[in-house]
Amino acid sequence: MNRIRSLALPIAVTLTVGALSALAAGTAQAADVNVARNGGFESGLANWSCTGGTGASVSSPVYAGSGALKATPAGQDNARCSQTVTVKPNSTYTLSTQVQGSYVYLGATGTGTQDVSTWTPGSGAGWQKLSTTFTTGPSTTQVTVYTHGWYGQPAYVVDEFSVFGPDGGGGTDPGPSVPGAPAGAAVSGQSANALTLSWNAVGSATGYHVYQDGVRVKTVTGGASTQITGLTASTSYSFQVSAYNAAGEGPKSAPVTGTTTGTDPGPGPGPAVPKHALTGYWQNFDNGATVQKISDVSAQYDIIAVSFADATTTPGAITFNLDSAGLGGYTVAQFKADIAAKKAAGKSVILSIGGEKGTISVNDSASANNLANSAYALMQEYGFTGIDIDLENGLNPTYMTQALRSLSSKVGSSLVITMAPQTIDMQSTQGGYFKTALNIKDILTVVNMQYYNSGSMNGCDGKVYSQGSVDFLTALACIQLEGGLDPSQVGIGVPASPSGAGSGYVSPTIVGNALDCLTRGTSCGSFKPSKTYPGLRGAMTWSTNWDAKAGSAWSNSVGPKVHGLP
């Protein structure tokens, strides 16, 4: 269903004599319509064709509604997705869409006049609107519209694709009306820091807004229930829910009250991280990699980073929404039990903040406190043993330090704190990530820098190295090792397979060579560090799911190598 609709508003109209004549003659211009079909991708990839199977319908991230298109360039395939629309000759159409990612293109071919295209270099973060216009030729009745990425770049995401102009007779998607108020709101699942809110689904809704004491705190898609976390023990809260779609937000439900229980002692301290540890990110979404439960994650992984926490409307505060539908019916109860089982097996399961939903900003004391309080509540709720900082939109070292120290004071010495900065973030000790790492050196577990999706970078010897080599891994790790971090706080982050990143994949053998070079001084490339670092923590990969998709080749090779370091 297309989620764009024209609202019928009362207007005052003044007609000239000429206009009245035109109306009388039946020549008035009809309103423009959206001739694209399934432009919101609510019906998967219906009406769309993507080259080489590069496209997929996803439920996150989305610009609106519950669906979006995600396509991944591969080799010489730029992941072109297109559809043919029916148009009217000698007519002008406006082509537009919302995109996320780098080097995303939008265009039209077969217009009968001038074919058009536009693009954005993007940044991979946040939504951007692309728009252009085209005019059809005197005999043109069909035009192919498309979007694509670029070679060697990561996946891109598209939503709200439209082609507005005269109706060519090929049919259009009808627009929805504003949904009604949800009924049956109820509170259950009380704990000291969380409540579960449920309601009856509204048929025409694409999502729901949740209000806590009159303030919107959450947006929910793909279900009619959610968990509200970060609450205070023994406190009553009032909740309301509204449904929305492209036509707008409907009325709120009748209020319902819920009260949290008394003080929760929490899940208790987590297990100690081993001297040499393997870290893997677990995907709370389906993007073509193997869908896993936490219990499916290989025992080679010592730290499992659940990806990702979600932002709320409260600055700095986070929440977590398990994608039960996308993960084959994985329930919250199973998820919590699996975390407990991993902890009992000596593993650390932490919550990653950032990634594709990295819109969380901590820029003042209030947002720092909000991050610490909400993260602590989620640790108590789910049993997480720490957090991972993977913000790709930068961070403020002063207030991120405040947030992490505040969380440490609540949790104690068992708190696991990891970071996954990009290579550019760790080139200098004056960078925000590097400053933060040094500020919390006494409570920091490990920095697993992402040695991928990167251009060439300086090594600690001042020479420039290109990604994809043992020298890139060792010479850049040396910057952190010589810049003030303890070897136990340095890990090597790489993709588990070529599909796991846009660029920078290296074989497990290269990872092993880099680990040997840094810890033993053997198997080095042209760069050899001036000394060895036998205490190096280990390695990280994105992701356990891509690793499983490739038959666990990465963890089965790198895991034993890490665990066998001196």
Side-chain angles (χ1 to χ4, degrees):
M1 179 183 291
N2 191 301
R3 293 163 292 179
I4 299 175
R5 175 179 181 267
S6 298
L7 296 178
L9 300 176
I11 56 175
V13 180
T14 301
L15 296 176
T16 65
V17 173
L20 286 169
S21 299
L23 284 172
T27 58
Q29 175 68 45
D32 286 346
V33 298
N34 181 12
V35 299
R37 305 300 298 269
N38 189 30
F41 303 97
E42 308 303 335
S43 300
L45 295 186
N47 304 102
W48 290 91
S49 175
C50 297
T51 56
T54 53
S57 175
V58 297
S59 59
S60 175
V62 297
Y63 181 78
S66 60
L69 164 70
K70 186 172 186 178
T72 308
Q76 297 302 307
D77 191 335
N78 62 9
R80 185 178 190 267
C81 296
S82 62
Q83 71 166 271
T84 300
V85 297
T86 302
V87 294
K88 207 171 183 180
N90 294 321
S91 301
T92 299
Y93 291 82
T94 298
L95 173 63
S96 67
T97 189
Q98 295 286 342
V99 302
Q100 257 192 42
S102 301
Y103 301 96
V104 187
Y105 288 72
L106 173 71
T109 61
T111 63
T113 57
Q114 176 84 33
D115 289 350
V116 297
S117 68
T118 185
W119 64 285
T120 174
S123 63
W127 290 96
Q128 291 180 282
K129 184 176 182 178
L130 281 178
S131 183
T132 188
T133 61
F134 64 87
T135 300
T136 55
S139 60
T140 303
T141 58
Q142 289 191 319
V143 170
T144 298
V145 292
Y146 65 85
T147 181
H148 66 73
W150 198 247
Y151 310 102
Q153 296 298 315
Y156 68 92
V157 185
V158 168
D159 202 359
E160 297 303 289
F161 194 104
S162 63
V163 186
F164 271 94
D167 188 351
T172 60
D173 287 343
S177 59
V178 174
V187 173
S188 62
Q190 290 91 340
S191 70
N193 304 106
L195 296 167
T196 297
L197 179 66
S198 60
W199 56 91
N200 296 339
V202 178
S204 62
T206 54
Y208 303 90
H209 296 312
V210 177
Y211 292 83
Q212 175 183 316
D213 296 329
V215 178
R216 186 192 295 180
V217 294
K218 205 168 192 180
T219 296
V220 178
T221 58
S225 66
T226 189
Q227 216 167 37
I228 312 296
T229 59
L231 306 179
T232 302
S234 302
T235 303
S236 293
Y237 297 90
S238 176
F239 299 100
Q240 289 176 285
V241 184
S242 67
Y244 71 86
N245 57 24
E249 180 181 3
K252 298 176 185 176
S253 67
V256 61
T257 300
T259 303
T260 53
T261 61
T263 302
D264 189 340
V273 175
K275 178 182 177 182
H276 299 298
L278 196 71
T279 301
Y281 284 79
W282 174 85
Q283 298 177 185
N284 180 38
F285 50 87
D286 179 6
N287 66 346
T290 299
V291 172
Q292 291 184 311
K293 297 179 174 62
I294 292 293
S295 57
D296 297 329
V297 175
S298 168
Q300 293 288 348
Y301 292 100
D302 305 291
I303 302 175
I304 303 167
V306 171
S307 310
F308 294 96
D310 297 318
T312 72
T313 56
T314 302
I318 58 173
T319 187
F320 177 73
N321 298 293
L322 183 69
D323 185 10
S324 296
L327 302 181
Y330 195 18
T331 67
V332 171
Q334 288 176 306
F335 178 70
K336 291 179 179 179
D338 287 347
I339 291 176
K342 285 291 186 182
K343 288 169 64 178
K347 312 298 182 181
S348 297
V349 183
I350 63 177
L351 179 61
S352 183
I353 301 170
E356 289 185 314
K357 297 187 177 180
T359 56
I360 298 152
S361 296
V362 180
N363 295 318
D364 54 31
S365 291
S367 56
N369 288 332
N370 291 337
L371 175 58
N373 291 337
S374 59
Y376 182 59
L378 292 172
M379 291 179 67
Q380 292 181 303
E381 174 70 19
Y382 291 94
F384 299 124
T385 55
I387 61 173
D388 169 69
I389 306 300
D390 186 18
L391 296 175
E392 297 179 1
N393 57 337
L395 54 79
N396 183 307
T398 299
Y399 296 110
M400 183 56 72
T401 297
Q402 178 185 325
L404 296 175
R405 288 206 172 276
S406 176
L407 181 60
S408 177
S409 69
K410 299 174 185 292
V411 178
S413 60
S414 66
L415 176 67
V416 175
I417 300 177
T418 69
M419 293 183 175
Q422 300 171 93
T423 53
I424 191 67
D425 297 320
M426 302 300 286
Q427 283 278 287
S428 167
T429 56
Q430 297 307 304
Y433 256 103
F434 215 140
K435 280 186 177 180
T436 303
L438 294 175
N439 287 347
I440 63 165
K441 185 176 177 180
D442 56 314
I443 58 173
L444 174 66
T445 306
V446 63
V447 175
N448 291 304
M449 189 173 74
Q450 302 175 45
Y451 294 78
Y452 51 94
N453 293 341
S454 167
S456 299
M457 290 288 162
N458 289 325
C460 66
D461 58 355
K463 295 180 180 179
V464 177
Y465 295 93
S466 298
Q467 65 178 3
S469 65
V470 66
D471 288 332
F472 189 75
L473 305 181
T474 55
L476 269 66
C478 175
I479 296 176
Q480 300 171 61
L481 292 163
E482 294 300 310
L485 292 182
D486 188 83
S488 67
Q489 295 171 325
V490 177
I492 296 175
V494 294
S497 75
S499 301
S503 63
Y505 171 76
V506 292
S507 70
T509 299
I510 295 297
V511 180
N513 289 344
L515 293 171
D516 281 338
C517 179
L518 292 169
T519 60
R520 297 183 171 97
T522 62
S523 303
C524 299
S526 62
F527 171 80
K528 186 171 183 177
S530 59
K531 62 181 179 181
T532 58
Y533 309 92
L536 193 81
R537 180 67 76 174
M540 170 275 281
T541 197
W542 177 269
S543 63
T544 66
N545 307 74
W546 284 116
D547 182 27
K549 181 82 170 183
S552 300
W554 192 88
S555 58
N556 286 340
S557 175
V558 180
K561 171 63 76 172
V562 165
H563 298 137
L565 291 175

